[in-house]
Amino acid sequence: MNIYAHRGYSAKYPENTLAAFQAAANLPIDGVEFDVHLTKDGQVVVIHDESINRTSNGVGYVKDMTLQELREFDYGSWFSEEFVGLEIPTLEEVLNVYRGTDLRVNIELKSDIFAYAGIEELVLQVVEALGMMDQVVISSFDHEAVARIARLSPNVENAALFVNAILDVANYQEKLPAKALHVSLPSAFRGPVREAIEKGSVVRVWTVNEVEHAALLVDTGVNAIFTDEPEKMLAFLRQNSVPVEG
Ligand code: G3P
Ligand code: MG
């Protein structure tokens, strides 16, 4: 079972910052996940929420500010004084942390609340320019975006994100089409997801921070877990002789 650091190493570092991504890159894990939004001036930036209110010392929506305006705020001090001065990273800056490594990079398009017209093309352009098309997985709760990725770039790995299990999810996956399913922890144990795994779907599970949950998932055949606690999960899976690097 593979381990992906969720929003970088987000238990110990401010989520979705270069500090969290560098920490994750130093671990013998399989991948990393992060979230992207579009600025007012069309830059793809890495942050979880639509607004900067929770994870910076500023206020406002990403879509209403230019990159330069977003860079006026601090994205580390909300987490701890130790991280004062961290900036909001661009997609390109984060990809550069992983370029040349063997970690898979999951870019989650946060276009499910604000549509961010054209975000798929912009993300693909940045990934292509860095020669990382084979290294990325592009996912979203916005399944129109997942389908657009498939149309724009049929070979790149795309994934449909789910909060709840839906019936006949394997058929739905084929229709989109999506190459993988990223499901919530409770959904991973439900019938439709179990059936999809039996039919050969690649399933990754978010967000798994308790070793008891990881232990239950080992036997389900899921491909990977997203976790805020990659070192804890690594230690647990190693102790239990579960292969962790896939
Ligand atoms: O991509 C998996 C997971 O990150 C989805 O939920 O809210 O943490 O982005 P969220
Ligand atoms: Mg995410």
Side-chain angles (χ1 to χ4, degrees), residues 94-115:
V94 176
L95 289 177
N96 270 319
V97 173
Y98 297 105
R99 197 177 178 200
T101 72
D102 56 8
L103 269 78
R104 283 196 76 67
V105 177
N106 179 196
I107 305 167
E108 183 190 341
L109 308 180
K110 284 289 189 197
S111 51
D112 45 318
I113 304 227
F114 299 125

Side-chain angles (χ1 to χ4, degrees), residues 3-17 20-21 24 27 29 31-35 46 48-49 54 98 103-104 106 108 110 139 141 161 182-183 205-209 225-231 233:
I3 297 174
Y4 281 55
H6 182 240
R7 310 181 195 172
Y9 192 164
S10 58
K12 291 212 172 142
Y13 299 82
E15 65 181 54
N16 285 334
T17 62
F21 294 123
L27 297 175
I29 56 174
V32 64
E33 184 264 4
F34 56 83
D35 314 284
V46 178
H48 180 270
D49 301 354
R54 181 178 61 86
Y98 297 105
L103 269 78
R104 283 196 76 67
N106 179 196
E108 183 190 341
K110 284 289 189 197
S139 66
F141 287 110
L161 266 160
H182 289 184
V183 306
V205 185
W206 57 275
T207 302
V208 184
N209 290 330
I225 56 171
F226 299 100
T227 181
D228 302 336
E229 300 263 17
E231 279 187 301
M233 289 301 166

Side-chain angles (χ1 to χ4, degrees), residues 157-217:
E157 184 175 3
N158 64 344
L161 266 160
F162 294 88
V163 175
N164 296 310
I166 61 164
L167 297 178
D168 228 346
V169 69
N171 246 339
Y172 180 76
Q173 178 186 357
E174 205 175 307
K175 269 194 183 159
L176 265 172
K179 296 192 196 304
L181 303 173
H182 289 184
V183 306
S184 67
L185 177 56
S187 301
F189 299 104
R190 297 301 181 94
V193 175
R194 287 207 309 267
E195 282 166 28
I197 292 170
E198 273 166 32
K199 288 182 180 169
S201 291
V202 171
V203 173
R204 306 187 181 95
V205 185
W206 57 275
T207 302
V208 184
N209 290 330
E210 303 301 330
V211 290
E212 293 80 5
H213 293 149
L216 291 171
L217 285 167

